[in-house]
Amino acid sequence: MVHASFTSMLAFFLFFSSGCATAPKVEDPYSFGVELMADSSPESAQNEGSSPATAHTAAQEIPLVGLRGLAAAYHLDFGVAVAFKALSISKYAQIVSSEFSTLTPENEMKWQYIHPVAGSYELFFGDQLVQFAQSHQMKVRGHTLVWHNQLPRWVSESVTTEDALLKLVTEHVSTIVGHYRGKIAKWDVANEVIDDAQGMRDTLFYRLSGTEFLSTAFRAAHEADADALLYLNDYSVEAINPKSNRLYELCKALLAQGVPLHGVGLQAHWDLDDLPSMSSVRKNIERFAALGLKVDITELDIRMKGAPTPERLRVQAEAYAALVRVVLDTEGSDSITVWGVDDGHSWVPQWMSSYGSALLLDGKYRAKQAYAAVVGELSNR
Ligand code: GLA
């Protein structure tokens, strides 16, 4: 059953009509959101005025100039992952629409939220995000149809055979992609299917079907919306390394089987102290492009350990700019998405307690050097 349930609509109404005192009925896997944006976060506190990094950032007063417009001149999409809850913050919403040309729902289209109960789809939050994007002439990147994480327990509890799994994957993918037919330009059909030891990840999907779940998911997505571009998305595959080699082999195998795979998503969740070589990133993009695939940077953030010093922010800025340069200079790559609007809305400190400051804007929506460096890269060519 496909529905935007009455309870969701009620939650939505309460959420906005009560000054956000009542959160919508979607669980946020990260604890950020409206509460955190009351500037009570450690990140905000860090940026409150006394730290050298803050003084540095604030002193520069880097204006927000609209990345999307600058990027458009190079036919580059500059996107952002958006949390539905945070769109109730006017500043956040305004930055999303003025700075970015593509919106990726950060969580709302993941299986856990969009298909929480067998046979019942919760499309309300995804619909709201799509509507927001449409009303601001933004594209939408659907994220993500098949993933071993954020998968509700009922799936593993009820599915024990390959047939049942493939039937469920087909239903899930056809329903969601069909619902958004014509509205979602690109889908991350499958997420993180390669494990860190460079084999196929040992998931319920793989255990029951080998790689059949992939062909099934991609074919169902293509059937539901023949115009949508379909991606395999993964992390630590930005440069040439054993894991990206494995992804490359998988892509070749799927293409050889005639699977409608159109691109790879390189997540690019980077650690400032462990950045990949940019020449290797370039070569990697080129080899996937040579297979006829598009290559998108889908979840970019560059985290740093500890408090952000001016020097660390400068190095971060260089890394952001270097990646933008590689994308602009490389055939086959025309899309960069950052994984969050600002440091107050980033998964990083929630998941890695000593890390943060990973995005282009600080916790008070002030542009950082990284933002200025990206603007520079998009302006001075
Ligand atoms: C992965 C997923 C994203 C998001 C990030 C950060 O990369 O693809 O949806 O969950 O992790 O948490």
Side-chain angles (χ1 to χ4, degrees):
M1 180 179 47
V2 176
H3 69 282
S5 71
F6 174 72
T7 42
S8 318
M9 286 192 278
L10 183 63
F12 180 72
F13 173 75
L14 288 172
F15 178 58
F16 285 107
S17 65
S18 64
C20 309
T22 308
K25 246 185 115 235
V26 63
E27 272 176 49
D28 193 337
Y30 318 142
S31 58
F32 62 73
V34 174
E35 303 75 20
L36 185 134
M37 292 318 298
D39 290 333
S40 58
S41 67
E43 182 64 39
S44 299
Q46 245 170 36
N47 289 325
E48 197 58 64
S50 56
S51 83
T54 304
H56 186 79
T57 309
Q60 294 207 357
E61 286 176 16
I62 300 161
L64 295 179
V65 293
L67 294 176
R68 65 183 286 176
L70 296 176
Y74 305 99
H75 306 288
L76 173 72
D77 285 324
F78 213 102
V80 66
V82 170
F84 166 78
K85 274 169 75 174
L87 277 182
S88 64
I89 303 163
S90 58
K91 181 83 176 162
Y92 177 101
Q94 184 262 320
I95 291 172
V96 168
S97 61
S98 58
E99 292 296 321
F100 301 103
S101 56
T102 301
L103 182 156
T104 303
E106 189 165 358
N107 285 295
E108 294 75 357
M109 291 184 182
K110 291 174 180 172
W111 198 312
Q112 177 181 3
Y113 301 107
I114 204 164
H115 194 176
V117 175
S120 177
Y121 291 82
E122 178 52 83
L123 297 158
F124 177 77
F125 297 100
D127 289 355
Q128 292 302 313
L129 287 169
V130 168
Q131 208 175 66
F132 178 91
Q134 287 182 328
S135 64
H136 295 96
Q137 294 77 50
M138 299 174 76
K139 297 178 191 167
V140 180
R141 179 179 202 99
H143 177 81
T144 175
L145 295 165
V146 179
W147 190 28
H148 62 285
N149 270 332
Q150 295 184 255
L151 185 68
R153 194 170 303 148
W154 68 263
V155 175
S156 56
E157 284 172 354
S158 59
V159 172
T160 53
T161 64
E162 176 173 4
D163 272 4
L165 176 83
L166 298 181
K167 202 163 154 247
L168 178 61
V169 165
T170 304
E171 179 215 294
H172 179 81
V173 171
S174 312
T175 304
I176 297 165
V177 178
H179 177 76
Y180 292 112
R181 182 178 14 244
K183 297 180 177 168
I184 292 196
K186 298 176 176 180
W187 275 102
D188 292 329
V189 174
N191 202 24
E192 302 177 351
V193 299
I194 311 289
D195 72 13
D196 296 332
Q198 304 102 43
M200 286 299 294
R201 190 181 290 280
D202 180 21
T203 63
L204 173 77
F205 301 106
Y206 185 66
R207 276 195 298 282
L208 289 178
S209 79
T211 55
E212 193 50 41
F213 74 97
L214 288 173
S215 2
T216 298
F218 277 87
R219 291 202 164 102
H222 189 57
E223 187 135 317
D225 186 349
D227 292 328
L229 296 177
L230 308 179
Y231 286 71
L232 263 179
N233 191 47
D234 217 320
Y235 66 88
S236 296
V237 290
E238 295 80 27
I240 294 187
N241 60 37
K243 188 171 175 181
S244 65
N245 290 345
R246 184 68 187 83
L247 179 65
Y248 180 76
E249 292 307 321
L250 175 64
C251 289
K252 277 211 303 203
L254 293 172
L255 291 170
Q257 290 165 34
V259 171
L261 166 70
H262 306 121
V264 287
L266 314 181
Q267 292 185 4
H269 290 294
W270 289 350
D271 179 340
L272 191 61
D273 292 321
D274 189 21
L275 293 171
S277 131
M278 289 299 160
S279 71
S280 183
V281 171
R282 181 191 302 260
K283 287 188 193 123
N284 193 40
I285 292 176
E286 283 168 354
R287 70 170 167 167
F288 280 101
L291 293 178
L293 296 173
K294 293 176 74 69
V295 185
D296 293 10
I297 306 298
T298 51
E299 306 188 16
L300 175 62
D301 53 22
I302 305 179
R303 62 185 179 271
M304 60 184 78
K305 203 175 177 121
T309 63
E311 174 58 11
R312 304 278 281 159
L313 292 168
R314 189 190 60 74
V315 177
Q316 179 190 52
E318 274 173 12
Y320 266 102
L323 180 60
V324 171
R325 202 174 312 134
V326 165
V327 168
L328 289 176
D329 289 348
T330 313
E331 287 286 317
S333 182
D334 60 5
S335 177
I336 298 177
T337 288
V338 287
W339 204 247
V341 170
D342 65 286
D343 289 337
H345 290 92
S346 166
W347 71 293
V348 169
Q350 311 291 321
W351 286 73
M352 290 171 268
S353 57
S354 50
Y355 285 87
S357 308
L359 294 167
L360 298 174
L361 272 58
D362 72 12
K364 286 182 173 285
Y365 305 113
R366 291 177 303 207
K368 292 157 59 179
Q369 290 182 59
Y371 178 92
V374 170
V375 169
E377 208 52 57
L378 293 172
S379 312
N380 308 318
R381 297 180 70 82

